[in-house]
Amino acid sequence: MLARLRRLPPLVVPGEITRLRGLLAEAAAGRRFLLQGGDCAERFQDCTPEAIEGKLRVLLQMSVALTHGGRKPVVRVGRIAGQFAKPRSKPTELVQGRELPSYRGDLINGLEPDPDSRRPDPGRMLEAYYHSAATLNHLRALTASGFADLHHPERWELPGGSGEVPAYRRTLDQVRESLDFLEALGGVQRDVLERIDFFTSHEALLLPYEEALTRWVGEDRGYCNLGAHTLWVGERTRQLDGAHLEYLRGLRNPLGVKVGPSATPDHLVALLDRLDPDREPGRITLISRFGATRIQAALPPLLAAVQATDHPVLWSCDPMHGNGVESASGYKTRDFAAILAELRLAFELHRAQGSHLGGVHIELTGEAVTECTGGTERLSEADLAKAYETGCDPRLNGTQSLEMAFLIAEMIRG
Ligand code: PEP
Ligand code: CO
């Protein structure tokens, strides 16, 4: 299986990785803003044109809101085309009263609640490669051929769901008017609007799979994981002496590091020395994920520790993974207000300390799911059962995502 994977063509090319590293370096310097988002766990069965277009559409809509409101160009990175492996806190889980091995993502086992499907199957690695390739192929075709062009109103319709995001319509009108004006002056070339940058990312969790997609790309670029433009290491696997850090430090890709409640200042500095010995701008994105009630105590000492080093990191905030709660009816959910509160605190804490938040990391989907409560649609716990479809964590739906983007844009402006 792995021998076969090693011979298959790469999904991305080194030049794209270098370009992303440059854009992330600009975000670290405060000149761009990183929007990273997508599913918690992609499923093979969701590799459909509708689901892929839905996610791309909502990320593009969010980036228009962020660029327009935040006055900064946005670097778009999807949790997509490879986000198939899930770290789990427990080896088993209760499904409909039955104890089963935990679902670990389609790369490893199946979500269906029976022991057969929960058994790990190495053949899934090949399946994951093909589903990543099909997804990325569709993304590339869309982003190269005008999917993002603001002159096509049908592509910019509001995301599914009943909610209105009033600021969106106004923003779109303003952006279109400005573009028409620039075009009238001869200042905008059509092809600039028709092609956009879009990058892919996933958690580097299942190392045999990641290694099989790692290729030597020459003296100047060394080893790159060509299965995604950037990878991140999760909260559960970033031990200093662990295999994941040992693998990641040998790659030239830009790397993300989830930073949660278990991170101490010393650990973080040692980890940066390990992953970024050359102090390279764009190399490391630190993604804080504490939860709205913990960030205030936890983040400032870490910011201070990083500031005392010369690592030029980009700080991003994942307001999802520290804000999980269980609803009375047993659904894993997250409340819009808690997600927003963590983001607000992150911006404030960075500012108060002379640091700077340059990105967000969000679990979302373009579809009209009901997995997170709150937002303009005022989803309640009772609504969760209507369209709860995630394979793992609850995602913001299209409307909630766009609304969040407008609120984030205000925070970027300060
Ligand atoms: C995730 O991003 O889906 C995830 C599991 O995050 P963390 O490692 O921060 O818990
Ligand atoms: Co998740």
Side-chain angles (χ1 to χ4, degrees), residues 8-223:
L8 286 163
L11 299 174
V12 307
V13 294
E16 296 169 335
I17 292 174
T18 306
R19 174 157 166 71
L20 175 60
R21 205 168 49 229
L23 295 174
L24 293 173
E26 289 184 27
R31 294 194 296 274
R32 288 181 185 270
F33 193 80
L34 167 67
L35 170 64
Q36 187 169 14
D39 280 311
C40 179
E42 282 183 279
R43 306 279 318 279
F44 296 162
Q45 69 182 41
D46 296 332
C47 182
T48 63
E50 295 77 22
I52 296 166
E53 286 164 26
K55 258 173 276 180
L56 180 61
R57 184 181 295 117
V58 78
L59 285 166
L60 292 178
Q61 289 173 333
M62 290 172 81
S63 67
V64 167
L66 290 169
T67 307
H68 184 258
R71 304 279 186 266
K72 271 183 198 170
V74 171
V75 188
R76 290 164 287 250
V77 179
R79 285 176 64 115
I80 198 167
Q83 176 50 25
F84 290 120
K86 296 311 301 170
R88 303 307 300 265
S89 305
K90 301 197 195 97
T92 62
E93 62 191 350
L94 274 183
V95 192
Q96 294 146 14
R98 217 166 146 202
E99 187 170 8
L100 289 168
S102 295
Y103 172 59
R104 293 178 181 277
D106 277 14
L107 181 57
I108 295 166
N109 61 3
L111 181 62
E112 296 69 30
D114 65 75
D116 272 350
S117 110
R118 291 293 169 101
R119 194 167 302 126
D121 171 6
R124 287 177 167 274
M125 289 191 284
L126 213 48
E127 285 289 300
Y129 170 87
Y130 288 126
H131 284 90
S132 300
T135 303
L136 189 51
N137 179 60
H138 196 46
L139 288 170
R140 285 190 190 281
L142 293 169
T143 53
S145 63
F147 187 78
D149 189 341
L150 288 153
H151 292 90
H152 290 278
E154 72 284 3
R155 308 221 182 90
W156 292 90
E157 275 314 301
L158 279 167
S162 54
E164 249 304 316
V165 184
Y168 181 59
R169 190 116 0 246
R170 268 196 320 274
T171 302
L172 215 49
D173 288 343
Q174 283 175 12
V175 172
R176 283 202 184 108
E177 265 173 40
S178 314
L179 284 174
D180 289 346
F181 176 65
L182 280 176
E183 250 176 307
L185 293 178
V188 181
Q189 309 215 311
R190 292 264 348 162
D191 65 338
V192 172
L193 298 176
E194 285 171 4
R195 302 181 60 87
I196 51 139
D197 275 337
F198 186 84
F199 299 95
T200 62
S201 68
H202 61 259
E203 177 171 350
L205 187 63
L206 187 68
L207 296 181
Y209 177 81
E210 301 302 341
E211 281 172 347
L213 289 170
T214 302
R215 313 283 162 91
W216 175 253
V217 294
E219 282 305 327
D220 53 334
R221 292 202 180 104
Y223 283 102

